[in-house]
Amino acid sequence: MMRITADTDLCVGSGQCVLTEPAVFGQDDDGIVTLLTDRPDDETVAQARDAVTLCPSRALSILRE
């Protein structure tokens, strides 16, 4: 099982994660990443992985459980 974490202190608000998988990632009023879920389902897991890779500030991580 995989879990996504977000370091809001590192986030620069580029929004690449939201554009890549809006079912998993959102942004607050300041543009900082929010997790809509930290455990993507089978339909969103591939795009969520892509979003983690695309994050320019490396604020997103994948943990294996």
Side-chain angles (χ1 to χ4, degrees):
M1 170 136 335
M2 115 178 187
R3 185 167 66 95
I4 295 177
T5 62
D7 185 336
T8 56
D9 290 331
L10 289 178
C11 180
V12 296
S14 73
Q16 293 302 307
C17 55
V18 179
L19 293 172
T20 304
E21 186 45 75
V24 175
F25 304 99
Q27 288 178 291
D28 67 14
D29 291 339
D30 294 321
I32 301 302
V33 65
T34 59
L35 293 176
L36 304 179
T37 180
D38 66 346
R39 298 180 194 279
D41 60 25
D42 291 340
E43 293 180 18
T44 59
V45 71
Q47 290 296 100
R49 287 179 199 268
D50 288 346
V52 170
T53 302
L54 291 171
C55 180
S57 63
R58 302 291 179 233
L60 303 173
S61 300
I62 296 175
L63 301 175
R64 307 256 187 255
E65 297 181 325

